[in-house]
Amino acid sequence: MKVTLFTTCIVDFMAMNVGKATVELLEGLGHEIDYPKNQTCCGQPTYNTGYVEKTKNTIKHFIETFEHADVIVSPSGSCVMFVKEYAHIMADDKEWKERAEKVAAKTYELSQFLIEVINVDDFSAKLPGKAVYHHNCHTARFLKVKEQPIKLLSKVEGLELVDFHNSDKCCGFGGTFSVKMGDISAEVADEKARYIMDANPDYLIGADFACLMNIGGRLSRLGSNIKVMHIAEVLNSK
Amino acid sequence: MGIKINNENFKKNLDKNLNNDFMRAAMVKAQDLINKNRTNVLSQLGDGNYREWQKLSGEVRAHVLENLDFYLNQFAENVVKNGGNVFFAKDAKEASEYVTKLAVERGVKKVVKAKSMVTEEIGLNHHLIDAGVDVKETDLAEYILQLDDWNPPSHMVVPSLHLNRTQIKDVFAKNGYSGKDIPEDLAAFARAQLRNEYVTADMGIYGCNFAIAESGAISLISNEGNIDLCTSAPELQVAVMGMERICATYEDADICISLLARNAVGAKSTSYTTFVNGITEEGAADGAKEFHVVIVDNGRSKVLKSQFKEVLQCMRCAACLNICPVYRQVGGHSYNAIYSGPLGVVLTPLLAGYDDFKELPYMCSLCGACTEVCPSNIPLHSLIHEHKRVLAEEKKVSAFWGASMSGAGMVLSRPWMYKLGTGVAPLMTKPLMVDGKIKKGISILKGWTDKRDLPALEVVRFRDWYAKRSKGGNK
């Protein structure tokens, strides 16, 4: 299958290894990657800060860049959730609303794509050690992708997945919230990091780099050695 | 007091609360406990499909709001049929003045009061006190707060959540308590003090969880028994309610009450569910001989006509406070208002204006947990976002963020600018790097780096790696 990849802006310029792992993983499963070079961002930074009108050009640009695709896959559930909001945001413009609906219908978060669309079962992935999984709020709550990543991780040889206190709660990232209300955001991240450290894992795994960057940033400041990995990197570990 | 509880600068107040270790530990403990009980009790409700209950309850509440004039009229007519009086107050001042005038005219010296958010909202206590009436809060937590020089509530259901037992002992000690900080002893002291107040009070004032339009009854959901004493001992009684607090029928109220108790305290029902139905029968030993209902607008009609109208479906269970990751860290007083948490973020600016509360909508990570739990099916996080939109696009509150977001919008919709920007960014952030990470940010980045590291920006971006690989490199 030809898979059109939306890496997200954060992965592009802050976590290229996640994008790389996504490409290698999908190619390893026999799919062809299509990477539209003009892609930028889903538009959440401006939208979530309240600037809806200033977001519309970004949304239109995304639609123009991706509407040729058969299927769009992204290693970020939050961004995928937002693509699925486009039609609602463009509701007053019939043409763009319809184009937004079409794009949304073929956009998938990576683990969702692996389980729901191509139904893969075995990756021959191997990663020895103990791990915790952080559920991204937008992915679990709105995209309803909660079981899929767990199911995939359970197939990784040598990996033991353990729970931690309040594992389904927000990490405190929240986009511009993390700098606009940095004090509060950091306190939420601190509590999350401490509960993770209590579980004493080797790895913190997530399906959204923004949360991982936030929790990882606090873990790093606390001097923790827990390795932070995106699920694409885990599934691509041999 | 009214809606606003302090005049301190938002940031200063927030810093103070973030440094209050006791309060913060209490919030974490309370949230975890209430949520555990809530999840447990909701799983046993019906077939355990909470989503269906939310929808049902949301429909019941939305239906009343769509036809509010009809149901308010029906309710008022039935109150009068039951021998009561109804007063429609357009704002806080009218509502407080009506009750105070009534108290003064009837020669009331002492009022016993049940806990009620709307009486806090209209600042009724101080209005009565200023007129020389003695007011006694009888809910245990409110009683503590009153004795503590009217310390404002920090939670809608558990108002004194921010005080520990030693602090409570100190408050009681100023009022004649000589025992230790043992909860049972403290409660016994309060009980002994309060018992005497009910029988010597001339007036009882309480709120309203749901007013039943078809009968004119006021329902009150409580645990301590104090409300039942307020509704039975004094001969003159006043119920104060927000105008949205109506259920069409007992059957509708049953759905709402079933969800309210479970969401508020994680119990199947509260100890008492009381219906006050006008004046008491001739010759009865207790109950109201004179009964008034004050229906408060105070900005609600305006909300009803706005894009925020769903917030009026709220039943004040505080489930959103109990699940909110921000409330958990900052506590109720950081919202500078009697309504806190996600509900407060939505409601306070609507009732009290943006001027004093323009920071509130940003006290949200948009995680959506509030919307997920809300038993009235209110899309709380979407309404919070709508406040942000109004502040950004209509009120233009921040020139800095306006300009930043114009810039971001421009860059993100123009690939050449995006590529250029992300290409030079690593060089620009180089001075902030320590040991391969950004540790000392400037300007808005400081909010992140004060307590968190930030990864270095990629010198070789994904797009660079991919482009090179497509040409045969990087395999």
Side-chain angles (χ1 to χ4, degrees), chain A residues 12-13 16 27 37 39-40 47-48 52-53 141 165 185 187 191 214 218 220-221, chain B residues 11 24 32 328-329 367 385 388 393 406 412 418 449 451-453 458 462-463 469:
Chain A
D12 183 27
F13 68 86
M16 68 86 74
E27 283 184 348
K37 281 188 291 189
Q39 63 179 274
T40 58
Y47 182 84
N48 286 354
V52 177
E53 286 306 315
R141 198 163 283 132
H165 186 55
S185 168
E187 292 301 317
E191 199 189 355
N214 182 41
R218 185 58 191 161
S220 158
R221 187 63 62 91
Chain B
K11 182 79 175 65
R24 294 191 51 195
D32 286 354
R328 180 181 180 92
Q329 304 300 333
C367 79
H385 178 264
K388 289 191 193 182
E393 295 186 343
S406 288
L412 298 179
Y418 169 90
T449 56
K451 288 192 172 158
R452 288 164 290 191
D453 296 340
E458 301 281 16
F462 172 80
R463 63 181 59 241
R469 183 177 183 267

mmCIF file of all heavy atoms in Angstrom, chain A residues 12-13 16 27 37 39-40 47-48 52-53 141 165 185 187 191 214 218 220-221, chain B residues 11 24 32 328-329 367 385 388 393 406 412 418 449 451-453 458 462-463 469:
data_model
loop_
_atom_site.group_PDB
_atom_site.id
_atom_site.type_symbol
_atom_site.label_atom_id
_atom_site.label_comp_id
_atom_site.label_asym_id
_atom_site.label_seq_id
_atom_site.Cartn_x
_atom_site.Cartn_y
_atom_site.Cartn_z
ATOM 1 N N ASP A 12 9.525 16.517 12.692
ATOM 2 C CA ASP A 12 10.419 17.002 11.637
ATOM 3 C C ASP A 12 11.641 17.707 12.217
ATOM 4 O O ASP A 12 12.767 17.374 11.878
ATOM 5 C CB ASP A 12 9.640 17.955 10.717
ATOM 6 C CG ASP A 12 10.485 18.456 9.555
ATOM 7 O OD1 ASP A 12 11.422 17.740 9.147
ATOM 8 O OD2 ASP A 12 10.199 19.559 9.047
ATOM 9 N N PHE A 13 11.407 18.671 13.119
ATOM 10 C CA PHE A 13 12.580 19.443 13.556
ATOM 11 C C PHE A 13 13.024 19.211 14.993
ATOM 12 O O PHE A 13 13.992 19.803 15.448
ATOM 13 C CB PHE A 13 12.408 20.941 13.233
ATOM 14 C CG PHE A 13 11.349 21.670 14.009
ATOM 15 C CD1 PHE A 13 11.623 22.218 15.255
ATOM 16 C CD2 PHE A 13 10.083 21.842 13.479
ATOM 17 C CE1 PHE A 13 10.658 22.920 15.963
ATOM 18 C CE2 PHE A 13 9.105 22.538 14.172
ATOM 19 C CZ PHE A 13 9.390 23.076 15.419
ATOM 20 N N MET A 16 13.709 13.715 14.664
ATOM 21 C CA MET A 16 13.753 13.071 13.350
ATOM 22 C C MET A 16 13.834 11.543 13.446
ATOM 23 O O MET A 16 13.373 10.846 12.551
ATOM 24 C CB MET A 16 14.887 13.654 12.506
ATOM 25 C CG MET A 16 16.279 13.345 12.966
ATOM 26 S SD MET A 16 16.839 11.767 12.318
ATOM 27 C CE MET A 16 17.134 12.183 10.619
ATOM 28 N N GLU A 27 8.047 0.598 5.735
ATOM 29 C CA GLU A 27 8.722 -0.033 4.580
ATOM 30 C C GLU A 27 9.040 -1.494 4.873
ATOM 31 O O GLU A 27 8.884 -2.356 4.016
ATOM 32 C CB GLU A 27 10.012 0.731 4.238
ATOM 33 C CG GLU A 27 9.729 2.031 3.498
ATOM 34 C CD GLU A 27 11.002 2.764 3.064
ATOM 35 O OE1 GLU A 27 12.108 2.390 3.529
ATOM 36 O OE2 GLU A 27 10.879 3.702 2.270
ATOM 37 N N LYS A 37 6.721 16.922 0.411
ATOM 38 C CA LYS A 37 7.773 17.797 0.935
ATOM 39 C C LYS A 37 7.252 19.137 1.457
ATOM 40 O O LYS A 37 7.916 19.800 2.246
ATOM 41 C CB LYS A 37 8.814 18.064 -0.169
ATOM 42 C CG LYS A 37 9.787 16.912 -0.355
ATOM 43 C CD LYS A 37 10.908 17.296 -1.315
ATOM 44 C CE LYS A 37 10.329 17.442 -2.742
ATOM 45 N NZ LYS A 37 11.368 17.616 -3.776
ATOM 46 N N GLN A 39 4.753 19.662 3.355
ATOM 47 C CA GLN A 39 3.995 19.587 4.610
ATOM 48 C C GLN A 39 4.637 20.441 5.705
ATOM 49 O O GLN A 39 5.864 20.592 5.752
ATOM 50 C CB GLN A 39 3.859 18.151 5.073
ATOM 51 C CG GLN A 39 5.150 17.439 5.404
ATOM 52 C CD GLN A 39 4.854 16.008 5.867
ATOM 53 O OE1 GLN A 39 4.602 15.773 7.034
ATOM 54 N NE2 GLN A 39 4.852 15.083 4.929
ATOM 55 N N THR A 40 3.767 20.998 6.581
ATOM 56 C CA THR A 40 4.284 21.806 7.686
ATOM 57 C C THR A 40 3.751 21.283 9.022
ATOM 58 O O THR A 40 4.398 20.468 9.668
ATOM 59 C CB THR A 40 3.899 23.294 7.512
ATOM 60 O OG1 THR A 40 2.476 23.426 7.439
ATOM 61 C CG2 THR A 40 4.516 23.884 6.245
ATOM 62 N N TYR A 47 -4.500 27.364 16.733
ATOM 63 C CA TYR A 47 -5.908 27.092 17.051
ATOM 64 C C TYR A 47 -6.112 26.979 18.561
ATOM 65 O O TYR A 47 -7.001 27.616 19.126
ATOM 66 C CB TYR A 47 -6.372 25.802 16.361
ATOM 67 C CG TYR A 47 -7.835 25.505 16.612
ATOM 68 C CD1 TYR A 47 -8.821 26.096 15.820
ATOM 69 C CD2 TYR A 47 -8.235 24.656 17.645
ATOM 70 C CE1 TYR A 47 -10.172 25.849 16.053
ATOM 71 C CE2 TYR A 47 -9.584 24.408 17.887
ATOM 72 C CZ TYR A 47 -10.536 25.001 17.088
ATOM 73 O OH TYR A 47 -11.874 24.768 17.335
ATOM 74 N N ASN A 48 -5.309 26.182 19.206
ATOM 75 C CA ASN A 48 -5.508 25.941 20.636
ATOM 76 C C ASN A 48 -5.254 27.182 21.488
ATOM 77 O O ASN A 48 -5.716 27.271 22.618
ATOM 78 C CB ASN A 48 -4.634 24.783 21.125
ATOM 79 C CG ASN A 48 -5.176 23.450 20.645
ATOM 80 O OD1 ASN A 48 -6.250 23.396 20.049
ATOM 81 N ND2 ASN A 48 -4.443 22.377 20.878
ATOM 82 N N VAL A 52 -8.411 31.135 15.776
ATOM 83 C CA VAL A 52 -9.054 30.222 14.829
ATOM 84 C C VAL A 52 -8.866 30.715 13.395
ATOM 85 O O VAL A 52 -8.481 29.945 12.508
ATOM 86 C CB VAL A 52 -10.554 30.069 15.174
ATOM 87 C CG1 VAL A 52 -11.251 29.185 14.153
ATOM 88 C CG2 VAL A 52 -10.722 29.500 16.583
ATOM 89 N N GLU A 53 -9.117 32.002 13.163
ATOM 90 C CA GLU A 53 -8.994 32.543 11.795
ATOM 91 C C GLU A 53 -7.565 32.399 11.271
ATOM 92 O O GLU A 53 -7.363 32.066 10.116
ATOM 93 C CB GLU A 53 -9.438 34.009 11.754
ATOM 94 C CG GLU A 53 -10.953 34.197 11.836
ATOM 95 C CD GLU A 53 -11.733 33.396 10.790
ATOM 96 O OE1 GLU A 53 -11.335 33.379 9.612
ATOM 97 O OE2 GLU A 53 -12.739 32.747 11.183
ATOM 98 N N ARG A 141 -8.611 9.708 24.376
ATOM 99 C CA ARG A 141 -9.939 10.212 24.729
ATOM 100 C C ARG A 141 -10.787 10.547 23.516
ATOM 101 O O ARG A 141 -11.974 10.252 23.485
ATOM 102 C CB ARG A 141 -9.762 11.451 25.604
ATOM 103 C CG ARG A 141 -10.990 11.823 26.372
ATOM 104 C CD ARG A 141 -10.659 12.781 27.506
ATOM 105 N NE ARG A 141 -10.066 12.102 28.631
ATOM 106 C CZ ARG A 141 -8.969 12.504 29.271
ATOM 107 N NH1 ARG A 141 -8.334 13.587 28.885
ATOM 108 N NH2 ARG A 141 -8.516 11.828 30.285
ATOM 109 N N HIS A 165 0.794 4.825 38.475
ATOM 110 C CA HIS A 165 -0.316 5.581 39.063
ATOM 111 C C HIS A 165 -0.800 6.692 38.114
ATOM 112 O O HIS A 165 -0.005 7.455 37.598
ATOM 113 C CB HIS A 165 0.127 6.177 40.403
ATOM 114 C CG HIS A 165 -0.977 6.849 41.156
ATOM 115 N ND1 HIS A 165 -2.155 6.205 41.480
ATOM 116 C CD2 HIS A 165 -1.101 8.113 41.635
ATOM 117 C CE1 HIS A 165 -2.945 7.032 42.130
ATOM 118 N NE2 HIS A 165 -2.332 8.204 42.237
ATOM 119 N N SER A 185 2.056 23.823 34.045
ATOM 120 C CA SER A 185 2.394 22.722 33.155
ATOM 121 C C SER A 185 3.545 21.891 33.719
ATOM 122 O O SER A 185 3.505 20.648 33.728
ATOM 123 C CB SER A 185 2.765 23.309 31.785
ATOM 124 O OG SER A 185 3.346 22.340 30.965
ATOM 125 N N GLU A 187 4.433 21.587 36.823
ATOM 126 C CA GLU A 187 4.019 20.850 38.023
ATOM 127 C C GLU A 187 3.273 19.572 37.642
ATOM 128 O O GLU A 187 3.414 18.534 38.292
ATOM 129 C CB GLU A 187 3.130 21.730 38.922
ATOM 130 C CG GLU A 187 3.862 22.898 39.570
ATOM 131 C CD GLU A 187 5.026 22.461 40.450
ATOM 132 O OE1 GLU A 187 4.869 21.497 41.206
ATOM 133 O OE2 GLU A 187 6.095 23.097 40.356
ATOM 134 N N GLU A 191 4.632 15.694 38.504
ATOM 135 C CA GLU A 191 3.894 14.614 39.158
ATOM 136 C C GLU A 191 3.901 13.363 38.278
ATOM 137 O O GLU A 191 4.118 12.248 38.761
ATOM 138 C CB GLU A 191 2.452 15.057 39.457
ATOM 139 C CG GLU A 191 1.797 14.192 40.516
ATOM 140 C CD GLU A 191 0.302 14.451 40.686
ATOM 141 O OE1 GLU A 191 -0.241 15.374 40.054
ATOM 142 O OE2 GLU A 191 -0.313 13.697 41.457
ATOM 143 N N ASN A 214 7.680 16.473 26.866
ATOM 144 C CA ASN A 214 7.330 17.140 28.123
ATOM 145 C C ASN A 214 7.742 16.303 29.331
ATOM 146 O O ASN A 214 8.481 16.756 30.206
ATOM 147 C CB ASN A 214 5.823 17.395 28.136
ATOM 148 C CG ASN A 214 5.371 18.135 29.374
ATOM 149 O OD1 ASN A 214 6.038 19.062 29.834
ATOM 150 N ND2 ASN A 214 4.243 17.725 29.927
ATOM 151 N N ARG A 218 11.159 16.680 31.980
ATOM 152 C CA ARG A 218 11.157 16.702 33.443
ATOM 153 C C ARG A 218 12.010 15.558 34.002
ATOM 154 O O ARG A 218 12.771 15.747 34.955
ATOM 155 C CB ARG A 218 9.713 16.629 33.981
ATOM 156 C CG ARG A 218 9.605 16.772 35.484
ATOM 157 C CD ARG A 218 10.189 18.087 35.994
ATOM 158 N NE ARG A 218 10.305 18.104 37.449
ATOM 159 C CZ ARG A 218 11.084 18.936 38.124
ATOM 160 N NH1 ARG A 218 11.806 19.850 37.490
ATOM 161 N NH2 ARG A 218 11.137 18.884 39.436
ATOM 162 N N SER A 220 14.538 14.187 32.623
ATOM 163 C CA SER A 220 15.931 14.554 32.403
ATOM 164 C C SER A 220 16.391 15.553 33.466
ATOM 165 O O SER A 220 17.473 15.423 34.035
ATOM 166 C CB SER A 220 16.061 15.119 30.987
ATOM 167 O OG SER A 220 17.192 15.925 30.852
ATOM 168 N N ARG A 221 15.547 16.542 33.777
ATOM 169 C CA ARG A 221 15.922 17.535 34.788
ATOM 170 C C ARG A 221 16.045 16.896 36.177
ATOM 171 O O ARG A 221 16.830 17.326 37.008
ATOM 172 C CB ARG A 221 14.882 18.666 34.806
ATOM 173 C CG ARG A 221 15.225 19.844 35.699
ATOM 174 C CD ARG A 221 16.488 20.586 35.274
ATOM 175 N NE ARG A 221 16.438 21.184 33.957
ATOM 176 C CZ ARG A 221 16.032 22.434 33.702
ATOM 177 N NH1 ARG A 221 15.648 23.203 34.683
ATOM 178 N NH2 ARG A 221 16.033 22.899 32.472
ATOM 179 N N LYS B 11 -1.043 36.126 38.931
ATOM 180 C CA LYS B 11 0.218 35.386 38.968
ATOM 181 C C LYS B 11 0.747 35.261 40.407
ATOM 182 O O LYS B 11 1.219 34.200 40.823
ATOM 183 C CB LYS B 11 1.226 36.133 38.063
ATOM 184 C CG LYS B 11 2.579 35.489 37.933
ATOM 185 C CD LYS B 11 2.545 34.324 36.943
ATOM 186 C CE LYS B 11 3.913 33.720 36.689
ATOM 187 N NZ LYS B 11 4.533 33.084 37.847
ATOM 188 N N ARG B 24 -1.678 21.527 48.331
ATOM 189 C CA ARG B 24 -1.462 20.737 47.123
ATOM 190 C C ARG B 24 -1.541 19.238 47.414
ATOM 191 O O ARG B 24 -2.116 18.466 46.630
ATOM 192 C CB ARG B 24 -0.138 21.119 46.480
ATOM 193 C CG ARG B 24 -0.195 22.570 45.977
ATOM 194 C CD ARG B 24 0.954 22.919 45.114
ATOM 195 N NE ARG B 24 1.137 21.941 44.051
ATOM 196 C CZ ARG B 24 2.232 21.852 43.331
ATOM 197 N NH1 ARG B 24 3.241 22.669 43.561
ATOM 198 N NH2 ARG B 24 2.329 20.965 42.388
ATOM 199 N N ASP B 32 -7.769 11.795 44.006
ATOM 200 C CA ASP B 32 -7.590 10.351 43.797
ATOM 201 C C ASP B 32 -8.665 9.545 44.516
ATOM 202 O O ASP B 32 -9.193 8.571 43.978
ATOM 203 C CB ASP B 32 -6.188 9.914 44.249
ATOM 204 C CG ASP B 32 -5.115 10.358 43.255
ATOM 205 O OD1 ASP B 32 -5.476 10.894 42.197
ATOM 206 O OD2 ASP B 32 -3.919 10.168 43.542
ATOM 207 N N ARG B 328 -5.927 20.213 40.152
ATOM 208 C CA ARG B 328 -5.155 19.324 41.035
ATOM 209 C C ARG B 328 -3.892 20.008 41.553
ATOM 210 O O ARG B 328 -3.515 19.836 42.700
ATOM 211 C CB ARG B 328 -4.793 18.067 40.235
ATOM 212 C CG ARG B 328 -3.997 17.007 40.973
ATOM 213 C CD ARG B 328 -3.714 15.862 40.003
ATOM 214 N NE ARG B 328 -2.953 14.795 40.603
ATOM 215 C CZ ARG B 328 -3.505 13.719 41.202
ATOM 216 N NH1 ARG B 328 -4.805 13.607 41.282
ATOM 217 N NH2 ARG B 328 -2.747 12.777 41.711
ATOM 218 N N GLN B 329 -3.221 20.787 40.695
ATOM 219 C CA GLN B 329 -1.972 21.434 41.101
ATOM 220 C C GLN B 329 -2.203 22.769 41.807
ATOM 221 O O GLN B 329 -1.464 23.124 42.720
ATOM 222 C CB GLN B 329 -1.068 21.684 39.874
ATOM 223 C CG GLN B 329 -0.742 20.445 39.040
ATOM 224 C CD GLN B 329 -0.015 19.356 39.826
ATOM 225 O OE1 GLN B 329 0.687 19.631 40.801
ATOM 226 N NE2 GLN B 329 -0.209 18.104 39.422
ATOM 227 N N CYS B 367 -7.040 18.882 27.773
ATOM 228 C CA CYS B 367 -6.947 17.409 27.798
ATOM 229 C C CYS B 367 -8.310 16.755 27.618
ATOM 230 O O CYS B 367 -8.401 15.598 27.250
ATOM 231 C CB CYS B 367 -6.278 16.925 29.085
ATOM 232 S SG CYS B 367 -7.343 16.910 30.550
ATOM 233 N N HIS B 385 -12.107 26.545 25.143
ATOM 234 C CA HIS B 385 -11.447 26.984 23.917
ATOM 235 C C HIS B 385 -12.175 28.173 23.290
ATOM 236 O O HIS B 385 -11.544 29.107 22.770
ATOM 237 C CB HIS B 385 -11.334 25.839 22.906
ATOM 238 C CG HIS B 385 -10.702 26.274 21.619
ATOM 239 N ND1 HIS B 385 -11.441 26.651 20.522
ATOM 240 C CD2 HIS B 385 -9.410 26.490 21.287
ATOM 241 C CE1 HIS B 385 -10.621 27.047 19.564
ATOM 242 N NE2 HIS B 385 -9.381 26.956 20.001
ATOM 243 N N LYS B 388 -11.052 31.244 24.797
ATOM 244 C CA LYS B 388 -9.740 31.633 24.278
ATOM 245 C C LYS B 388 -9.907 32.336 22.935
ATOM 246 O O LYS B 388 -9.216 33.301 22.644
ATOM 247 C CB LYS B 388 -8.851 30.399 24.068
ATOM 248 C CG LYS B 388 -8.369 29.737 25.328
ATOM 249 C CD LYS B 388 -7.300 28.750 24.904
ATOM 250 C CE LYS B 388 -6.905 27.782 25.953
ATOM 251 N NZ LYS B 388 -5.833 26.897 25.485
ATOM 252 N N GLU B 393 -9.522 36.742 19.422
ATOM 253 C CA GLU B 393 -9.992 37.354 18.174
ATOM 254 C C GLU B 393 -10.891 38.567 18.388
ATOM 255 O O GLU B 393 -10.871 39.492 17.586
ATOM 256 C CB GLU B 393 -10.726 36.307 17.333
ATOM 257 C CG GLU B 393 -9.793 35.193 16.869
ATOM 258 C CD GLU B 393 -10.445 34.215 15.920
ATOM 259 O OE1 GLU B 393 -11.689 34.181 15.848
ATOM 260 O OE2 GLU B 393 -9.703 33.465 15.250
ATOM 261 N N SER B 406 0.050 35.370 14.548
ATOM 262 C CA SER B 406 -0.006 35.802 13.146
ATOM 263 C C SER B 406 1.217 35.270 12.428
ATOM 264 O O SER B 406 1.133 34.733 11.316
ATOM 265 C CB SER B 406 0.019 37.335 13.046
ATOM 266 O OG SER B 406 -1.189 37.851 13.474
ATOM 267 N N LEU B 412 3.325 28.554 9.026
ATOM 268 C CA LEU B 412 2.804 27.187 8.902
ATOM 269 C C LEU B 412 1.980 26.978 7.632
ATOM 270 O O LEU B 412 1.711 25.849 7.248
ATOM 271 C CB LEU B 412 1.981 26.819 10.143
ATOM 272 C CG LEU B 412 2.761 26.829 11.470
ATOM 273 C CD1 LEU B 412 1.855 26.486 12.626
ATOM 274 C CD2 LEU B 412 3.950 25.870 11.419
ATOM 275 N N TYR B 418 8.383 27.946 6.419
ATOM 276 C CA TYR B 418 8.527 26.889 7.430
ATOM 277 C C TYR B 418 9.904 26.229 7.310
ATOM 278 O O TYR B 418 10.613 26.040 8.299
ATOM 279 C CB TYR B 418 7.414 25.851 7.260
ATOM 280 C CG TYR B 418 7.615 24.603 8.075
ATOM 281 C CD1 TYR B 418 7.101 24.516 9.366
ATOM 282 C CD2 TYR B 418 8.324 23.517 7.568
ATOM 283 C CE1 TYR B 418 7.296 23.373 10.135
ATOM 284 C CE2 TYR B 418 8.537 22.378 8.326
ATOM 285 C CZ TYR B 418 8.020 22.306 9.602
ATOM 286 O OH TYR B 418 8.220 21.186 10.355
ATOM 287 N N THR B 449 11.643 25.843 30.359
ATOM 288 C CA THR B 449 12.956 25.382 30.816
ATOM 289 C C THR B 449 13.250 25.640 32.298
ATOM 290 O O THR B 449 14.253 25.150 32.795
ATOM 291 C CB THR B 449 14.078 26.006 29.958
ATOM 292 O OG1 THR B 449 13.933 27.425 30.004
ATOM 293 C CG2 THR B 449 14.005 25.525 28.533
ATOM 294 N N LYS B 451 11.846 24.296 34.702
ATOM 295 C CA LYS B 451 11.819 23.005 35.386
ATOM 296 C C LYS B 451 11.989 21.800 34.469
ATOM 297 O O LYS B 451 11.916 20.660 34.913
ATOM 298 C CB LYS B 451 10.506 22.864 36.164
ATOM 299 C CG LYS B 451 10.470 23.770 37.384
ATOM 300 C CD LYS B 451 9.338 23.442 38.304
ATOM 301 C CE LYS B 451 9.471 24.254 39.582
ATOM 302 N NZ LYS B 451 8.221 24.402 40.293
ATOM 303 N N ARG B 452 12.093 22.061 33.154
ATOM 304 C CA ARG B 452 12.194 20.952 32.208
ATOM 305 C C ARG B 452 13.282 21.219 31.186
ATOM 306 O O ARG B 452 13.482 22.352 30.768
ATOM 307 C CB ARG B 452 10.859 20.786 31.439
ATOM 308 C CG ARG B 452 9.740 20.222 32.245
ATOM 309 C CD ARG B 452 8.407 20.463 31.549
ATOM 310 N NE ARG B 452 8.043 21.876 31.563
ATOM 311 C CZ ARG B 452 6.846 22.349 31.221
ATOM 312 N NH1 ARG B 452 5.911 21.538 30.798
ATOM 313 N NH2 ARG B 452 6.579 23.642 31.289
ATOM 314 N N ASP B 453 13.948 20.148 30.729
ATOM 315 C CA ASP B 453 14.874 20.287 29.616
ATOM 316 C C ASP B 453 14.068 20.203 28.323
ATOM 317 O O ASP B 453 12.979 19.624 28.294
ATOM 318 C CB ASP B 453 15.918 19.153 29.632
ATOM 319 C CG ASP B 453 16.796 19.221 30.882
ATOM 320 O OD1 ASP B 453 16.851 20.316 31.489
ATOM 321 O OD2 ASP B 453 17.398 18.192 31.245
ATOM 322 N N GLU B 458 16.735 19.700 15.737
ATOM 323 C CA GLU B 458 17.501 18.845 14.832
ATOM 324 C C GLU B 458 18.266 19.680 13.798
ATOM 325 O O GLU B 458 17.675 20.487 13.089
ATOM 326 C CB GLU B 458 16.567 17.875 14.094
ATOM 327 C CG GLU B 458 15.759 16.966 15.001
ATOM 328 C CD GLU B 458 16.553 15.784 15.538
ATOM 329 O OE1 GLU B 458 17.797 15.817 15.474
ATOM 330 O OE2 GLU B 458 15.921 14.834 16.021
ATOM 331 N N PHE B 462 14.020 15.744 9.818
ATOM 332 C CA PHE B 462 13.519 14.545 9.146
ATOM 333 C C PHE B 462 13.519 14.767 7.643
ATOM 334 O O PHE B 462 13.947 13.912 6.873
ATOM 335 C CB PHE B 462 12.117 14.183 9.629
ATOM 336 C CG PHE B 462 11.507 13.082 8.818
ATOM 337 C CD1 PHE B 462 11.850 11.765 9.057
ATOM 338 C CD2 PHE B 462 10.657 13.359 7.743
ATOM 339 C CE1 PHE B 462 11.336 10.740 8.270
ATOM 340 C CE2 PHE B 462 10.146 12.344 6.956
ATOM 341 C CZ PHE B 462 10.480 11.032 7.226
ATOM 342 N N ARG B 463 13.052 15.945 7.232
ATOM 343 C CA ARG B 463 12.913 16.207 5.792
ATOM 344 C C ARG B 463 14.282 16.174 5.085
ATOM 345 O O ARG B 463 14.376 15.746 3.941
ATOM 346 C CB ARG B 463 12.177 17.510 5.535
ATOM 347 C CG ARG B 463 12.862 18.762 6.036
ATOM 348 C CD ARG B 463 12.022 19.999 5.740
ATOM 349 N NE ARG B 463 10.700 19.930 6.362
ATOM 350 C CZ ARG B 463 9.554 19.943 5.685
ATOM 351 N NH1 ARG B 463 9.553 20.040 4.368
ATOM 352 N NH2 ARG B 463 8.404 19.873 6.320
ATOM 353 N N ARG B 469 18.098 10.502 1.583
ATOM 354 C CA ARG B 469 17.884 9.062 1.445
ATOM 355 C C ARG B 469 17.240 8.753 0.096
ATOM 356 O O ARG B 469 17.608 7.780 -0.569
ATOM 357 C CB ARG B 469 16.942 8.634 2.571
ATOM 358 C CG ARG B 469 16.644 7.156 2.647
ATOM 359 C CD ARG B 469 15.771 6.969 3.879
ATOM 360 N NE ARG B 469 15.455 5.590 4.122
ATOM 361 C CZ ARG B 469 14.365 4.998 3.661
ATOM 362 N NH1 ARG B 469 13.530 5.660 2.898
ATOM 363 N NH2 ARG B 469 14.133 3.735 3.954
#
